Amino acid sequence: MSERLCLVVEDSPMMRQLLVFALARIKVLKVVEADDGVDALRKLTTAKFDLIITDINMPVLDGLKLVKKIRSDEVHKDVPIMIVTTEGSAEDRQRALQLGANAYITKPIQAPQVIAKVKELLKLP
Amino acid sequence: MDRKRPARGTSNRPPRNTTKADLVEKRRELLETYFENGRQIASELVAELDAARKRIAEVEDENTRLRMQLKSDTAIRDLLTKIEALESERRELLSRTSEVEQRARSEIERAMAVESELSNLASLYVATSQLHASLDPRDVVATLGQLLLQFVGAGAYVVYSAEGDRLVPVATEGMPLESVTEAIVGQGIVGGAFIGGAPFVVRTEDRDGPMVVVPLRVGEQVVGAVAVFALLEQKTELDPFDHELLRMVSAQGATALAAARLSAAASGSIPPWSSAER
């Protein structure tokens, strides 16, 4: 199976490390990390990603603005986006999905839940 | 040799006045009678023979039929035996299938439990490594806050640092720092958490007070405390793994904070926590 490239956008190093740990269970996934939305946009110009996982509350450029920018980007407009956030209200979820996110997971996360959702988005067995 | 004389009137010798023609006639009648009887006997014998042949044919037919029935019965018996064997095999296969299914379910449950345990261990590893990743007290406090927010799901919390017997609030989430007052070690809910030596204290009776207090202590030295006032909207209660995390915060958080404070104090780069830093 071909390698899939995933961008993890998270300002908390602890959360980022935990996500990378969880995603390491999916052998075909290669993970690139970004500290915030701006860093993510920079990294999106370096490669074609198959999946983007992003937090919402981040300095400089938050996750929702990032989703909006990605959806207007020619290269990545169709890439699945998964939100992983502490924001658990129905309105936040609705807003993120309306902006173009494909999945919405609230923190604290459980690695099996993240893995299952990533596999679903990437259509992996 | 004594020869019996035939009885009078019954002798075969013709009467003295019988003519030759009579005799011939008599002989002819006698022969006819003789042959008639012979024909009759032969006819009866033929009829009996026919009947016997017919009976033999019937018996042969009966025999064939019985033989076929016997063969058929044997075949049925064989088939019944085979059916019974197949039924037994089917029952065994069903039982084995059920056994395999049960084993598969058990394996899946076990795999899920292992995955969950692995996830928990990863969280503990990441949290511990991040707590000890910096010797800057501010970073350690920030990491403690991140741990409470992102790993435990605390929506409102306060991190206290010990200054003598005072517990000074140095970081908050979900509530303004200015609104949080200092606590005294040994007094009140937060300060009283050090009494008894439990890794953390859960209180539910006071709705305005913290729901969990985690004393940060290295040996007998009080380093600080963490108080959780509310959980995130999506988090309804603390589960057993949250308790594990809080135990880890109590032990590793205290050590990390003490080490960072000592390092900062030694280097003089960052002064120990004080109310002025708030």
Side-chain angles (χ1 to χ4, degrees):
Chain A
M1 198 172 285
S2 61
E3 190 177 71
R4 309 293 179 89
L5 199 55
C6 172
L7 181 65
V8 173
V9 192
E10 171 65 71
D11 62 320
S12 162
M14 192 188 292
M15 195 63 212
R16 210 164 55 233
Q17 195 182 352
L18 187 62
L19 279 168
V20 171
F21 253 78
L23 296 172
R25 306 273 299 153
I26 305 171
K27 298 294 174 204
V28 294
L29 213 59
K30 187 184 170 194
V31 178
V32 175
E33 299 174 45
D35 295 340
D36 54 48
V38 173
D39 190 23
L41 288 175
R42 201 166 35 244
K43 282 177 175 153
L44 282 170
T45 61
T46 62
K48 169 82 172 75
F49 287 87
D50 299 295
L51 174 70
I52 296 162
I53 299 175
T54 180
D55 186 13
I56 289 183
N57 299 319
M58 292 183 293
V60 194
L61 184 73
D62 70 40
L64 293 181
K65 285 178 186 156
L66 177 66
V67 172
K68 216 170 167 183
K69 281 189 179 291
I70 292 167
R71 287 295 173 241
S72 59
D73 174 67
E74 196 52 44
V75 181
H76 291 100
K77 64 181 178 189
D78 296 322
V79 173
I81 301 175
M82 184 164 96
I83 303 277
V84 179
T85 178
T86 54
E87 304 298 330
S89 73
E91 297 81 52
D92 287 319
R93 179 186 292 267
Q94 187 67 23
R95 189 153 167 250
L97 296 175
Q98 272 173 354
L99 282 170
N102 302 85
Y104 194 95
I105 289 179
T106 53
K107 297 173 189 173
I109 59 159
Q110 272 290 310
Q113 182 196 13
V114 173
I115 292 167
K117 189 52 81 176
V118 167
K119 283 183 173 176
E120 184 189 320
L121 290 172
L122 291 176
K123 296 179 175 64
L124 293 174
Chain B
M1 193 173 172
D2 188 24
R3 296 185 67 176
K4 270 189 176 177
R5 287 183 65 182
R8 191 183 283 249
T10 59
S11 170
N12 288 333
R13 193 180 293 173
R16 288 181 191 270
N17 58 348
T18 306
T19 62
K20 191 180 175 183
D22 289 340
L23 285 173
V24 169
E25 178 60 21
K26 204 91 173 158
R27 193 186 65 180
R28 191 187 59 81
E29 279 175 7
L30 195 69
L31 281 173
E32 269 181 11
T33 306
Y34 179 80
F35 282 117
E36 182 59 31
N37 287 342
R39 253 198 317 271
Q40 206 170 332
I41 289 165
S43 174
E44 281 172 7
L45 280 173
V46 166
E48 273 179 28
L49 191 63
D50 282 348
R53 277 183 182 153
K54 200 175 171 187
R55 181 71 192 131
I56 286 168
E58 279 173 8
V59 168
E60 277 178 351
D61 284 351
E62 180 78 6
N63 192 10
T64 309
R65 194 179 60 78
L66 284 172
R67 276 176 191 280
M68 281 175 75
Q69 192 176 332
L70 194 65
K71 268 187 186 173
S72 169
D73 284 354
T74 308
I76 286 168
R77 260 200 306 279
D78 288 348
L79 283 172
L80 284 173
T81 310
K82 203 165 188 177
I83 286 168
E84 204 174 314
L86 286 170
E87 281 286 339
S88 164
E89 202 174 322
R90 182 176 156 269
R91 274 195 299 274
E92 198 186 325
L93 282 171
L94 281 174
S95 155
R96 214 179 296 167
T97 306
S98 159
E99 212 173 280
V100 168
E101 275 176 358
Q102 203 171 335
R103 211 180 302 159
R105 267 198 300 275
S106 157
E107 285 297 321
I108 288 169
E109 279 169 16
R110 204 163 138 254
M112 282 168 73
V114 168
E115 282 290 341
S116 178
E117 192 62 28
L118 204 63
S119 165
N120 292 344
L121 285 172
S123 297
L124 283 171
Y125 169 77
V126 169
T128 310
S129 66
Q130 289 290 331
L131 276 173
H132 295 286
S134 172
L135 283 174
D136 184 335
R138 292 171 206 275
D139 286 346
V140 175
V141 168
T143 303
L144 271 172
Q146 285 297 303
L147 203 161
L148 292 168
L149 174 68
Q150 314 242 20
F151 284 28
V152 179
Y157 62 81
V158 178
V159 179
Y160 296 89
S161 178
E163 292 294 328
D165 64 346
R166 292 182 305 130
L167 290 168
V168 181
V170 291
T172 63
E173 174 74 32
M175 53 209 301
L177 185 60
E178 295 74 31
S179 69
V180 184
T181 55
E182 290 184 6
I184 305 295
V185 176
Q187 293 177 15
I189 296 172
V190 176
F194 294 90
I195 300 165
F200 62 94
V201 180
V202 182
R203 296 190 192 280
T204 51
E205 66 271 23
D206 181 6
R207 289 196 169 192
D208 294 328
M211 57 187 294
V212 178
V213 179
V214 183
L216 304 176
R217 187 170 53 191
V218 181
E220 291 303 310
Q221 191 190 345
V222 175
V223 179
V226 167
V228 176
F229 287 80
L231 299 176
L232 291 170
E233 189 180 344
Q234 63 270 23
K235 181 100 178 176
T236 52
E237 59 179 358
L238 294 173
D239 58 37
F241 179 61
D242 295 324
H243 290 191
E244 279 293 320
L245 276 170
L246 293 175
R247 265 191 284 274
M248 190 278 295
V249 165
S250 179
Q252 300 299 321
T255 311
L257 193 58
R261 286 182 60 173
L262 280 172
S263 172
S267 67
S269 58
I270 301 172
W273 293 108
S274 68
S275 298
E277 287 176 341
R278 291 169 59 191

